[in-house]
Amino acid sequence: KKSFLSGANLSVLKKECDYQMRLIETYFQSTTKMYVLALQETISMLITREVLSNSTLLDQSKELEFSQAIIFHNVIQNFWLGRWERCLYYAKRSSAPSDIGQLKSIMIIFYGGLSCFQISRKGASKKSKLPKQAIALMKEKGEQSSWNYQSKIYLLEAEISSSLHENDRAIFFYNSAILAARSSKFIHEEGLACEFSALHCLKFGDKKEACILLGQARECYMTWGSQVKVDSVSRLLEKCSG
């Protein structure tokens, strides 16, 4: 899970998951299989949108902890596929803030908070405490590990500034998020910061800079191994440069 969240190459992770699944089918119980299956499906969807044929097995577990894991994977899948409303729906079903020590719960709030801004960017209005909760939580965790959370803090700050039409401030934080993600070698978060920065530039009419940023985002997503994101950004780049 940590390798996945740190932006490890998806194709490499898929091979590792396939190997682990073969071991699990031989030696371990079905609950362990559910966790690996959930990760397998998420990785497959981010590479090619492929849904595993045996994914219905994920509905068989009634354990609270596993239910939280399923929420985590639904948040991740819907966020990276651009299904902001669905991402927010699952994020709101997550455990209470008092239970937030686990990494998956932290990331649920992060991606849920970012989804709120994307929904607003498309003209919809969704009242949620998640954006404020997300920035407060990232800052709290950043005091313990800036390497893990600084790029996330900058990206949330950028989205807040963009939503308030504070162009210069937003650009500063987007650039900071890109550099921080690059420094931490979080290639997927670098791509995300580039992509969201491009969307901000488009909002302010700067198509030239938006195209440059989209090209950088596409390179990041190619390195990450997400063909889904490469295709998505390529379509946006074609529309932007056309």
Side-chain angles (χ1 to χ4, degrees):
K1 180 175 68 179
K2 290 183 179 179
S3 295
F4 171 72
L5 289 174
S6 65
N9 181 270
L10 293 172
S11 295
V12 173
L13 287 178
K14 185 177 184 300
K15 290 179 181 179
E16 178 62 24
C17 279
D18 292 344
Y19 171 72
Q20 292 296 330
M21 183 59 74
R22 290 194 295 271
L23 291 179
I24 287 168
E25 288 175 343
T26 304
Y27 299 108
F28 294 93
Q29 58 182 336
S30 59
T31 302
T32 306
K33 181 178 180 179
M34 296 296 181
Y35 283 99
V36 178
L37 180 59
L39 181 57
Q40 267 189 321
E41 179 169 283
T42 295
I43 292 171
S44 293
M45 290 185 72
L46 291 180
I47 295 175
T48 61
R49 287 185 184 266
E50 177 187 3
V51 178
L52 301 181
S53 60
N54 57 350
S55 62
T56 53
L57 290 173
L58 298 178
D59 297 327
Q60 295 176 7
S61 175
K62 302 297 182 183
E63 298 177 28
L64 178 61
E65 183 183 359
F66 187 70
S67 296
Q68 179 72 353
I70 290 300
I71 289 173
F72 166 78
H73 284 285
N74 274 297
V75 166
I76 295 294
Q77 291 170 13
N78 284 290
F79 178 85
W80 286 105
L81 294 178
R83 301 168 182 168
W84 316 119
E85 298 270 1
R86 294 297 293 170
C87 177
L88 184 57
Y89 167 77
Y90 283 109
K92 287 180 175 180
R93 292 182 59 189
S94 181
S95 58
S98 59
D99 300 323
I100 211 159
Q102 297 183 13
L103 180 58
K104 58 178 175 286
S105 296
I106 296 171
M107 298 309 296
I108 284 171
I109 288 185
F110 172 64
Y111 286 120
L114 285 177
S115 289
C116 290
F117 294 112
Q118 304 315 307
I119 293 169
S120 297
R121 182 172 272 145
K122 291 182 177 296
S125 177
K126 282 282 183 181
K127 292 184 178 180
S128 175
K129 297 179 180 179
L130 274 175
K132 290 183 178 180
Q133 192 177 0
I135 188 67
L137 180 61
M138 294 306 112
K139 287 181 176 179
E140 176 190 334
K141 297 300 178 182
E143 292 179 358
Q144 303 168 19
S145 175
S146 60
W147 180 79
N148 276 319
Y149 295 101
Q150 194 61 61
S151 61
K152 298 172 179 65
I153 294 170
Y154 286 145
L155 186 54
L156 285 165
E157 291 281 15
E159 289 292 284
I160 291 170
S161 299
S162 181
S163 69
L164 296 174
H165 302 280
E166 298 173 347
N167 185 33
D168 292 342
R169 181 178 171 86
I171 289 174
F172 169 79
F173 279 119
Y174 281 124
N175 289 338
S176 297
I178 292 168
L179 292 175
R182 186 178 300 158
S183 177
S184 296
K185 300 188 185 304
F186 295 162
I187 192 68
H188 60 321
E189 290 187 8
E190 182 183 346
L192 185 64
C194 289
E195 181 183 358
F196 283 2
S197 182
L199 294 176
H200 170 80
C201 289
L202 287 175
K203 182 171 73 172
F204 280 82
D206 191 348
K207 285 190 174 182
K208 181 178 179 181
E209 184 64 20
C211 288
I212 293 172
L213 287 162
L214 288 172
Q216 293 174 356
R218 183 168 60 182
E219 289 296 320
C220 289
Y221 292 143
M222 287 177 66
T223 302
W224 186 30
S226 175
Q227 190 60 43
V228 168
K229 289 301 298 180
V230 170
D231 293 343
S232 174
V233 169
S234 294
R235 288 192 295 269
L236 187 56
L237 182 57
E238 183 177 350
K239 182 179 179 181
C240 176
S241 58

